[in-house]
Amino acid sequence: MDRRTFLRAAVIGTSTSVAFGFSVAPEALAFPAQTGPSPYGGLRAADSNGIMLPQGFTSRVLARSTQTVSGTGYTWHSAPDGGACFANGTGWIYVSNSEMSSGSGGASALRFNSSGSITGAYRILSGTTRNCSGGATPWGTWLSGEETDLGYIWEADPTGAQAAVRRPALGRFSHEAAAVDPDRRVIYLTEDVPDGGFYRFVPTTWGNLSTGTLQVLRESGGALSWVNIPDPDGSPTRTRKQVSGMKIFNGGEGCYYRNGTCFFTTKGDNRVWAYNAVNNTIAIAYDDNLTSNPPLTGVDNITGATVGDLYVAEDGGTMEICIITPNDIVAPFLRVTGQSGSELCGVAFNPAGNRLYFSSQRGTSGSSSGGITYEVTGPFRTSL
């Protein structure tokens, strides 16, 4: 028995559920994503921005930390991290967190017109700490998580018109990402610690995050259930220590919901998980130990395209954003060169799906003041 077959058998033999692919038919069983050819072909030589891209794609530098965004009077924040795009009239807005400590974090925004030109840049959240990732809501707000012990989720207005609001009902812990499930009217939350939980928040009133119930995923006898957290403020007992049998995830990172499945990443074991909310099952969608020559390591932020492809950014690794296709192929989509002291984050598509945004948190300098935020344009596929 070769190593991959042995490892797959070991996975299936656990109570983690059979590792199924995330093809269009969610009931289909498949191996976890395997190394293979990208639908966009191989990467070409690095462009003038140091980015290796497939044929037909180009990159653009939008903003640099501590420098004024071109055409605006706004200084871009340091340590850019998680991000998302929001429709704004005929244009759109890209929001980006700042993973700075001691109240120097928060989030900023870039506003674009219909042709993709930057028309404004501004702050939407200030005075918070280590804003790592988050998630967009269907009602047009940005949920920004503080990756610190007893951190909060903050709800911010991408336009900057309304002041950001702290949402303690979503629990106090080392928040990473959030993904909204409009079908069940819940919000999934990841926790970035080695013994973290996978949570969901059930608002009392959909669209209003001021009150509701925080739950954590528990596993018992191979069956999964959602259990209420008795004390969401995490004091004196941390939320992840309150429910016996809580299913543990090693370093929760990015989180993305689509069509009944919440995909999330764990950096401690380089996995992408697929929580099937319809059937209440969970599976390993990608594991770097379950494929040969794995292109994806240091898994971090995750997003998806409407066609079904997932895009996962690396924290370290070979500084790539990798694509995972609906037929369970994983391959590099782009690689950033000359920035080995950084990490890639903030992956998000504009509403039309033809521009991809991301940041290199520490850029070429390896310092939080050297962050760079990019845009990639090209022939993103619209059908399989």
Side-chain angles (χ1 to χ4, degrees):
M1 179 182 291
D2 64 26
R3 176 175 178 272
R4 190 191 313 175
T5 302
F6 172 81
L7 288 169
R8 177 175 180 264
V11 169
I12 292 176
T14 71
S15 58
T16 304
S17 165
V18 174
F20 60 86
F22 31 86
S23 55
V24 175
E27 70 277 10
L29 297 179
F31 289 106
Q34 299 295 299
T35 304
S38 167
Y40 296 108
L43 302 182
R44 298 171 64 83
D47 63 12
S48 59
N49 296 320
I51 301 180
M52 300 171 64
L53 291 160
Q55 175 70 36
F57 289 84
T58 58
S59 72
R60 173 170 64 137
V61 173
L62 299 175
R64 295 180 182 271
S65 296
T66 72
Q67 297 184 25
T68 301
V69 179
S70 180
T72 77
Y74 184 73
T75 301
W76 196 237
H77 58 263
S78 294
D81 207 295
C85 278
F86 298 83
N88 182 51
T90 59
W92 60 92
I93 294 169
Y94 175 68
V95 301
S96 170
N97 277 344
S98 173
E99 198 185 6
M100 296 294 287
S101 300
S102 306
S104 298
S108 301
L110 297 172
R111 185 173 60 243
F112 299 85
N113 62 18
S114 59
S115 65
S117 298
I118 295 175
T119 60
Y122 48 90
R123 174 72 62 161
I124 64 170
L125 175 62
S126 301
T128 54
T129 296
R130 290 184 60 83
N131 295 81
C132 200
S133 192
T137 70
W139 48 91
T141 58
W142 168 241
L143 302 181
S144 181
E146 291 182 297
E147 188 199 340
T148 184
D149 188 39
L150 298 179
Y152 288 100
I153 288 285
W154 291 78
E155 187 171 17
D157 175 9
T159 71
Q162 303 294 324
V165 179
R166 189 172 66 186
R167 296 301 190 191
L170 276 73
R172 296 190 67 185
F173 52 86
S174 185
H175 280 283
E176 185 70 34
V180 178
D181 176 351
D183 303 309
R184 274 145 291 277
R185 297 192 167 189
V186 300
I187 298 169
Y188 303 106
L189 302 160
T190 57
E191 182 176 26
D192 192 359
V193 291
D195 58 344
F198 180 54
Y199 301 84
R200 75 176 185 183
F201 178 71
V202 186
T204 302
T205 303
W206 185 237
N208 183 340
L209 303 183
S210 59
T211 62
T213 304
L214 181 67
Q215 302 176 322
V216 71
L217 191 66
R218 179 168 66 184
E219 184 175 44
S220 178
L224 300 176
S225 60
W226 290 100
V227 181
N228 292 352
I229 295 290
D231 188 13
D233 72 4
S235 181
T237 303
R238 299 298 184 259
T239 55
R240 67 185 185 277
K241 303 294 186 180
Q242 294 181 24
V243 173
S244 177
M246 180 194 83
K247 187 168 179 61
I248 293 174
F249 295 94
N250 188 353
E253 289 285 342
C255 195
Y256 172 75
Y257 175 83
R258 181 182 67 227
N259 296 338
T261 299
C262 183
F263 300 98
F264 63 98
T265 62
T266 48
K267 66 184 180 187
D269 47 18
N270 280 314
R271 285 176 170 175
V272 179
W273 298 84
Y275 170 70
N276 185 319
V278 178
N279 298 326
N280 193 38
T281 57
I282 196 164
I284 298 169
Y286 171 79
D287 185 325
D288 67 343
N289 281 325
L290 298 178
T291 185
S292 60
N293 301 314
L296 176 59
T297 58
V299 298
D300 204 295
N301 289 181
I302 184 172
T303 194
T306 54
V307 73
D309 296 323
L310 296 176
Y311 290 78
V312 185
E314 289 186 325
D315 178 353
T318 50
M319 287 291 286
E320 293 179 339
I321 294 176
C322 289
I323 185 173
I324 304 179
T325 67
N327 61 337
D328 305 308
I329 295 296
V330 58
F333 170 72
L334 66 78
R335 179 184 298 169
V336 176
T337 64
Q339 300 186 31
S340 59
S342 187
E343 64 183 84
L344 302 185
C345 44
V347 286
F349 280 96
N350 70 330
N354 57 7
R355 298 170 189 257
L356 178 67
Y357 297 93
F358 73 96
S359 291
S360 172
Q361 190 176 91
R362 295 176 293 277
T364 57
S365 70
S367 167
S368 59
S369 62
I372 309 171
T373 298
Y374 298 93
E375 174 191 79
V376 170
T377 58
F380 289 101
R381 60 183 186 161
T382 57
S383 61
L384 298 176

